[in-house]
Amino acid sequence: MATHSLLGMTELVGAPESVAQARAFVREVLGRTHPVLDEVVLLVSELVTNSVTHSDSRGGGRVTLAVSEVDDTVHVEVVDSGSESEPRVCDEPYGEGGRGLFLVDAISERWGIYRDGAGRVVWFAVRFRRPESTGVEPGVGREARDVVW
């Protein structure tokens, strides 16, 4: 049976400064030593940028960011007000923009888009491997281990 844990959810304003707030939120809820922290921060940055730039949430609307862990996968949802066009992966390698979903597609295990009562949801999942246990209790330094009988 899958173990699902909502790590955190935050409401953001549909404005460019929310991108930095989203990155900081992810760093806080995952913790600085999480195995896929950098990947998740990058992908969240791309999705929130898309929301505050291209969706009907831009200009002060609402963007919701939720981060969960399901077994060894970080699952992220970004909810905005949607727009007339659907987000798509850019297929122009030298275009000026449109690389956000290209990165999501390349880095995540899976991703998708759907609509619900809250708006448009763009989500992704990134698998990770937990570090192997060293057999040492957390917070116990090498010196303390050497003198314990």
Side-chain angles (χ1 to χ4, degrees), residues 59-100:
R62 185 173 55 163
V63 176
T64 303
L65 170 62
V67 181
S68 301
E69 272 193 14
V70 180
D71 295 328
D72 289 342
T73 303
V74 174
H75 182 89
V76 172
E77 293 185 349
V78 176
V79 184
D80 61 34
S81 297
S83 64
E84 289 188 24
S85 62
E86 287 299 313
R88 63 181 179 83
V89 176
C90 179
D91 55 2
E92 291 185 35
Y94 301 109
E96 285 189 29
R99 293 214 181 48

Side-chain angles (χ1 to χ4, degrees), residues 4-149:
H4 182 271
S5 175
L6 176 65
L7 301 177
M9 184 166 46
T10 188
E11 297 287 330
L12 303 164
V13 175
E17 57 271 13
S18 290
V19 178
Q21 293 170 350
R23 287 191 298 260
F25 175 77
V26 170
R27 286 185 190 104
E28 179 182 326
V29 298
L30 287 183
R32 63 181 177 80
T33 61
H34 197 282
V36 291
L37 176 64
D38 292 338
E39 292 87 341
V40 174
V41 167
L42 172 63
L43 299 184
V44 162
S45 183
E46 295 296 337
L47 292 187
V48 173
T49 296
N50 285 351
S51 288
V52 304
T53 304
H54 302 295
S55 81
D56 292 342
S57 292
R58 71 182 171 273
R62 185 173 55 163
V63 176
T64 303
L65 170 62
V67 181
S68 301
E69 272 193 14
V70 180
D71 295 328
D72 289 342
T73 303
V74 174
H75 182 89
V76 172
E77 293 185 349
V78 176
V79 184
D80 61 34
S81 297
S83 64
E84 289 188 24
S85 62
E86 287 299 313
R88 63 181 179 83
V89 176
C90 179
D91 55 2
E92 291 185 35
Y94 301 109
E96 285 189 29
R99 293 214 181 48
L101 286 179
F102 176 82
L103 291 172
V104 172
D105 189 55
I107 295 171
S108 69
E109 178 181 0
R110 59 192 182 281
W111 68 279
I113 302 168
Y114 66 91
R115 290 188 178 274
D116 69 8
R120 177 179 55 204
V121 180
V122 182
W123 64 272
F124 67 84
V126 177
R127 280 188 77 55
F128 64 92
R129 174 175 258 182
R130 295 191 188 277
E132 296 294 324
S133 174
T134 61
V136 177
E137 292 180 41
V140 176
R142 180 171 178 76
E143 298 81 18
R145 276 196 330 259
D146 290 342
V147 295
V148 174
W149 297 94

